[in-house]
Structures are given as C-alpha cells and as structure tokens.
Amino acid sequence: IAAFNGILREVPESQTVFWTDADGAPLDAASVVGADYRLYGPRDMREDMTALCEASGADPSSAGRIGRRGTILFTSAKLGSLTLPGDASPVDMFLNLSTSVDGSMRTAASFSAIRVVCWNTLSATFADATKVRHTSGHTVKLGSALEAIAGAAGFADAFRIQHEKLAVKRISRDLAAKIVGDLYPGDSKRRANQRDDIMSRFMGSAVGADGTDVATAWALLQALTEYDQHDTPMRVEAGRDPNMLRMEHVVSGDAADYAAKVTSMLLAA
C-alpha cells in the first residue's frame, strides 16, 4: 500500500519508500520500487561519505535532493587542490556520491574536478563515475568502488606532492645526460640518437625547461615520458600498425611503469 498525496493505492509485488521526519516517522511516499530493489538512502550516503572523508581528509562541501519529487540524492566533499608544474591554476578535486530512491538511476561514486550542486554538474560526473545497480550485490560492489575511489584520491595527493618536488628540483645538463644514459645505454647510432632526442627535449621543448644548462627534474620527466609514449621506436610486427603498438604500450601499463621508474630515479638524484 502506498500513499501519494494522501491517497492510498495498492501496488503488488513492490515496496514503498517513504520520506520520514527527524524522528523517523513516515511522511508521504517517495516512490514505489520492486520487491528486490536495494534501497540506498540519505543515512547510508551520509555514513559512507563520512567514512570517505575520514579516510581521505576531504571536507564535506555540498548535499541535496533534485528531481521533480526530490528522489535523486547527492553529496560532495572537497579533497583539496591539485596543481601541476607549469600550470598556475589549481584545480579543486571532489569526492562525489549520488543515488536515487525511485530506481531512476544507479548509485554513482566518482573522484572528479567537478563539485556537484545541481543536475547539470551531477550528470557531468557520470562519465568517470563507478555506477552500481540497486540489486542484491549493491553493498559489496559499492564498498569496493568507494575503496577504489579513496585509493585514487590518495594517489592523486601523492602524485601532487612528488611532482611539486620535481618542479623545484634543479638538474644540470651533465646529470640529466647521465640519467638518460643509464636508461638508454649502448654505443649504437640508434641509442645515441635516442639520447640526443631526449636531451634536446629536456633543454628546450619540454615543460619546465628554460634553455640554459640547468633545468628542472620535472622537465626531464616530461622529456623522457614524452619520448617513451610518443616517439620511441616500436618493434615492427607483421601486419601490425606501429601506432597501434605504441597505443598498447601506453594503455597496457608499461608506460606507467616506466614513468614511475623515472620519477623514483629523479627524486633520488
């Protein structure tokens, strides 16, 4: 039995979601959903966002209800600002959590540069969000998603700290040449050309280079990763496009492993 605007209606094989007052007493019906629908309500969202904030250091930023009957819920928490070397504009980062109590959308969790305040900003976060259906596995799947998002938030903060250090660390031409030589050893003409290409990027074209005999560790990181991901020669395979091989190198994680190795070397230099 559901009460809509004071009118009782019978809806078989279903359950009714009620709004409640501060004491938990039911008010008007919010929606009627299927018998197997797993409700994820305001109290659940508050508890999960509180746990996320405690784990990541984020601060609650916004929360609300949208939609014709207010059945879509959202909450955001500000994690901090991310500023990349070479970019003067800091980017605020947010943890976002949203759901519906009427089956109109899945529960969605995201780590994004978008603060949710309305439907437009909420929908803009969906492309990068992890979405969980309101089924029997909702609790477990959402828990895994929130754990991953908290980890991503922690990674972003570590990324910022590491790369801010590289942005102010000065690297001489001789030290840069030694690091590049360690990564690309050998006396062949091909190896020499690779080293010359990377050093040219380091001293002139990479972000953070200033054209003198001293530049930043960030500039060397950019020179090395730019060369690795865009210009490093690919071993030709029969019937394979070299550009596709280079894309596989990037998306497979090999390029990320290389960037992590270079970052560690530069921090220790």
Side-chain angles (χ1 to χ4, degrees):
I1 303 296
F4 289 97
N5 298 323
I7 302 174
L8 294 178
R9 299 177 182 176
E10 182 175 353
V11 185
E13 298 182 3
S14 63
Q15 55 181 323
T16 303
V17 179
F18 286 91
W19 297 120
T20 63
D21 61 20
D23 297 322
L27 301 173
D28 195 24
S31 65
V32 176
V33 293
D36 296 329
Y37 185 85
R38 292 298 184 271
L39 179 65
Y40 184 68
R43 185 177 294 107
D44 303 311
M45 288 186 67
R46 183 175 65 249
E47 291 175 354
D48 283 340
M49 183 55 83
T50 297
L52 268 179
C53 289
E54 291 175 351
S56 64
D59 295 317
S61 176
S62 62
R65 291 164 43 188
I66 53 180
R68 188 171 63 86
R69 296 183 58 84
T71 53
I72 295 175
L73 317 176
F74 70 86
T75 181
S76 288
K78 183 179 179 181
L79 183 65
S81 298
L82 182 64
T83 303
L84 295 180
D87 186 351
S89 302
V91 178
D92 291 337
M93 303 303 296
F94 297 90
L95 302 174
N96 299 307
L97 197 54
S98 60
T99 194
S100 69
V101 296
D102 61 356
S104 61
M105 60 173 277
R106 303 177 186 183
T107 299
S110 67
F111 170 55
S112 170
I114 300 172
R115 173 176 175 254
V116 176
V117 294
C118 64
W119 172 251
N120 288 337
T121 49
L122 174 60
S123 60
T125 68
F126 288 161
D128 298 320
T130 299
K131 304 179 184 69
V132 181
R133 299 173 66 90
H134 293 270
T135 59
S136 59
H138 183 277
T139 300
V140 173
K141 292 178 181 178
L142 181 60
S144 298
L146 295 178
E147 183 178 347
I149 287 171
F155 173 81
D157 196 47
F159 177 92
R160 175 186 59 79
I161 293 171
Q162 281 190 340
H163 291 79
E164 284 178 351
K165 290 180 179 178
L166 295 180
V168 297
K169 186 170 188 175
R170 306 298 282 176
I171 296 286
S172 68
R173 180 193 292 268
D174 290 342
L175 179 55
K178 181 181 183 305
I179 293 172
V180 173
D182 290 341
L183 290 166
Y184 295 88
D187 298 325
S188 68
K189 182 65 174 177
R190 174 174 171 270
R191 279 300 199 193
N193 289 338
Q194 287 180 307
R195 293 192 291 266
D196 288 346
D197 189 336
I198 294 168
M199 287 301 296
S200 175
R201 297 168 196 251
F202 168 63
M203 298 310 302
S205 60
V207 175
D210 57 15
T212 68
D213 283 343
V214 179
T216 64
W218 173 256
L220 184 53
L221 174 64
Q222 295 304 300
L224 286 162
T225 54
E226 180 182 81
Y227 179 80
D228 175 66
Q229 296 177 22
H230 295 278
D231 295 299
T232 187
M234 293 286 107
R235 188 182 300 276
V236 178
E237 298 180 10
R240 298 295 305 280
D241 182 346
N243 289 325
M244 290 299 296
L245 294 174
R246 185 170 287 110
M247 183 189 72
E248 291 175 5
H249 169 69
V250 173
V251 301
S252 68
D254 291 342
D257 291 341
Y258 175 84
K261 175 183 177 181
V262 171
T263 298
S264 297
M265 291 177 66
L266 293 175
L267 289 171

